[in-house]
Structure formats: C-alpha cells, structure tokens
Amino acid sequence: MHAIRIHETGGPEKLCVEDIPVPAPKPGEVRFRVEAAGVNFIDTYHRSGLYKVDLPHTLGAEAAGVVTAVGEGVTTLAVGDRIGSARVTGAYAGEAIVAAAHAVRIPDGVSAATTAALLLQGMTAHYLACDTFPLQPGATALVHAGAGGVGLLLIQIAKRRGARVITTVGTDAKAELARAAGADAVCVYTREDFTAAARAFSGGRGVDVAYDAVGRSTFEGTLRSLRPRGMFVSFGNASGAVAPFAPLLLSQQGSLYFTRPTLTHYTQTAEELNARAGDLFRWVRAGELNVRIGATYPLAAAAEAHRALEGRATTGKVLLLP
Ligand code: NDP
C-alpha cells in the first residue's frame, strides 16, 4: 500500500511516498481502509520535529474508513464497520491502525470525509468551549484564526452555548467565513490591533477567555486582551511555540489563569470520547454544525497540503483522499 513517511525531520520536502506492507493489528487494535485522512497542524509538528516521533514515521493522526481486520481481544468492532478516529497510527496511507478504544463508529448519514474533517478539530473545539472554559451565555471569547479548521468549529460551538465571540483572521475572505460561522466581531489582525478590538468588544474590560493556538506571534497581545482573572487557553503553535515566561507575568496582567490543554487529556476514556464525538455527530446530522472542507488532495500531494496549511492558505479542513 502507499504511505506518506518521513525518515528525518524537516520541511514538507521530507515527506516520501512509499510502498510499504499492509500493517497487522496487534491485540486491542483494528486495521481499517482509509477513505479520508485529516491534515492537521500536529502532522506538521511531527514532520518538523517540534513534537518528537520515532523514525521512520508514517504521518497522520486522523482518518475515517472501513475496518478490514481486528486484533486479538477486540469485541467492540468487526470487519466492515465504519469508523473514525483522531488517534490513528499512520493515517496518511491506504490502510491504518488504531486502538479499538480510540475509534468511534460513524453514524448513518455521515460520510467518511465529514468524519475525518470533524473529529480532531471538532472534539478540540468541543472540549475548549465546554470543559476547559465552559462558556456561559453572555461570556466574551476571543478565538484566534477563526477561519481555520478548529476556528470555524469553535465559533459555532461557542455561539450555540450563548457566548459572544470576537475572532481574528488573516484576510477579508477569511473574515467572511468567520462571520458566516456566527462570529459577532471579526478583526483582520494582519492590519488591525486585535488587542484594542477585543477590549472594545468587551466594553474596555477585556474578554473572559482567549483561545489562542497561533502561539508565539499572538501571545503578548492575547495576554493584554483578557479581563482580570480571565483565562488564557494556549492550545497550539501555528506561528511557533510560545517562549518561556515567568508566572509573575500572569499576576501583572490581572491574576490570569493560563492552561495548555491537549485533546488526549480530554478524551481519556471511551465514555468521554464517545460523548464528545456523539455530540458532534448529532449536531452535524441535525444541520446545526457546518463542517467546511476547504481543500482535498490526493495522498501523493501531502507535501503540497502541508505547504498550504503552514502558509495560511487554507480554510476549514484539509483532507487527503487515498
Ligand atoms: P488552522 O486551519 O487553524 O490553520 C492555522 C491558522 O493559523 C492559519 O490558517 C492562520 O490563519 C493562522 N496563523 C497565524 N499565524 C500563522 C503562521 N505564522 N503560520 C501559520 N498559520 C498561522 O489549523 P488547525 O485548525 O489544524 O489548528 C489550529 C491550531 O490548533 C494549531 O496550532 C494546532 O496545533 C492547534 N490544535 C491543538 C489541539 C490541542 O488539543 N491542543 C488539537 C487541534 C489543533 P489566519 O491566516 O487567519 O491567521
């Protein structure tokens, strides 16, 4: 089968299309035919070496498709079941392996493409809005990169919880998408001061919560956008990792709370995973959550997909179709 692998870390040119044997599932795992694989920022961190992986490494954490083999001891899934997961081993391939406990069944009426576009970024948006800082009606939230994969979903989930959302985007075209997702205010932060916009949006006080996965380039401005005792949720590094800082800074900026969450710790049990995915699937089937697939690429064009994602040229989800 074809797979996209790296033998050393670096830029998108390190991605190789290779012919490798179809993997066998170990006890507790299943193998599935990949119908769609999600391209996520974490894949670029694995490729660049920001997050460590053993080499050689088949890229890709998110995919959806049909089970083709089950490992010893698996009782919850069978060959032919339609599944998706955000914790796949080697999703950029014709077939991939996942622990049965990390897979969810795809309900009728939802496609594999929508599932691969939804699970990782959708469950992230879900835990951010529902658990990390459980948004209440009237709460003010700053969401960076609002036309991105997580961004468009986070705006929609924040709005359904009754929050008021100000979002940042890089271009006017992205501003339109963020508005259509329900954002109350949009700041084109490539030419406007988002801190001033966030403070004005919250009546001068500062927002209750800021969801920031842009990282290095927005860190200081985000700190200054928060109200006293507001929460800084730093959940990614699209522009580079946030530099180390002293806890005293949080005191000086208003006794702020700072957290650096990751999806794994918000899908710790099968119950939690299925509850989160279940909410998302229900909203999608009811037409209450729009999943935007901004671009699809053949598997062999994975490097091009990485360049587009890192080059701020994508909106919504990017998929690879093997
Ligand atoms: P996006 O689709 O949001 O793409 C990233 C966006 O970040 C770009 O489109 C761009 O939007 C913005 N951006 C700002 N500055 C830069 C820069 N210098 N280089 C590249 N992009 C920049 O990606 P995802 O939805 O896949 O992920 C968004 C973030 O969320 C990532 O940081 C990712 O690591 C994080 N994440 C964290 C998870 C967790 O559990 N902690 C899980 C999932 C994702 P614009 O042009 O509008 O500024």
Side-chain angles (χ1 to χ4, degrees):
M1 66 173 194
H2 280 128
I4 305 298
R5 303 220 294 172
I6 51 167
H7 291 266
E8 52 186 38
T9 56
E13 73 285 353
K14 300 291 184 191
L15 301 189
C16 312
V17 187
E18 291 179 15
D19 212 359
I20 61 168
V22 173
K26 296 196 190 85
E29 295 179 341
V30 302
R31 186 179 72 220
F32 65 105
R33 189 178 68 247
V34 176
E35 293 182 351
V39 177
N40 292 288
F41 245 90
I42 192 165
D43 308 336
T44 71
Y45 305 149
H46 289 150
R47 191 210 67 221
S48 71
L50 182 66
Y51 296 176
K52 302 286 171 243
V53 287
D54 291 334
L55 299 173
H57 174 75
T58 304
L59 284 165
E62 179 181 42
V66 178
V67 174
T68 53
V70 296
E72 207 183 298
V74 173
T75 54
T76 50
L77 293 172
V79 171
D81 286 347
R82 300 170 70 230
I83 61 162
S85 176
R87 289 176 75 177
V88 176
T89 307
Y92 290 12
E95 300 215 23
I97 297 288
V98 66
H102 296 160
V104 296
R105 285 170 186 276
I106 306 175
D108 290 345
V110 180
S111 69
T114 297
T115 304
L118 177 67
L119 283 179
L120 197 150
Q121 293 165 332
M123 290 197 293
T124 300
H126 189 285
Y127 83 69
L128 291 171
C130 305
D131 293 288
T132 306
F133 186 97
L135 290 166
Q136 303 295 334
T140 48
L142 168 62
V143 172
H144 282 307
V150 174
L152 285 172
L153 295 164
L154 181 53
I155 291 169
Q156 293 177 74
I157 296 173
K159 288 309 296 176
R160 70 177 288 133
R161 291 182 65 90
R164 293 181 57 238
V165 177
I166 177 166
T167 192
T168 60
V169 293
T171 66
D172 291 316
K174 289 182 178 186
E176 284 309 309
L177 291 174
R179 259 184 223 108
D184 299 285
V186 182
C187 171
V188 182
Y189 59 172
T190 41
R191 59 166 191 254
E192 295 159 16
D193 177 354
F194 75 82
T195 301
R199 297 203 77 88
F201 180 73
S202 53
R205 186 157 179 260
V207 293
D208 297 318
V209 60
Y211 299 107
D212 184 345
V214 171
R216 183 186 296 154
S217 68
T218 46
F219 176 73
E220 281 182 27
T222 300
L223 271 184
R224 289 185 284 104
S225 301
L226 285 156
R227 67 158 164 82
R229 305 205 313 246
M231 185 181 285
F232 191 135
V233 183
S234 171
F235 69 101
N237 341 265
S239 69
V242 172
F245 65 90
L248 184 60
L249 186 59
L250 301 176
S251 148
Q252 291 162 340
Q253 294 296 326
S255 301
L256 301 178
Y257 294 86
F258 186 92
T259 183
R260 196 349 181 150
T262 193
L263 178 59
T264 312
H265 300 130
Y266 284 87
T267 46
Q268 293 197 72
T269 61
E271 290 71 29
E272 192 173 32
L273 169 68
N274 282 300
R276 254 184 238 297
D279 276 351
L280 295 170
F281 283 135
R282 202 171 57 251
W283 297 337
V284 167
R285 292 175 79 195
E288 295 168 11
L289 184 69
N290 178 42
V291 182
R292 178 184 168 82
I293 298 173
T296 59
Y297 293 84
L299 194 58
E304 212 183 305
H306 276 210
R307 283 189 194 98
L309 186 64
E310 294 175 291
R312 305 172 74 164
T314 65
T315 58
K317 186 69 184 187
V318 180
L319 290 180
L320 296 179
L321 303 177

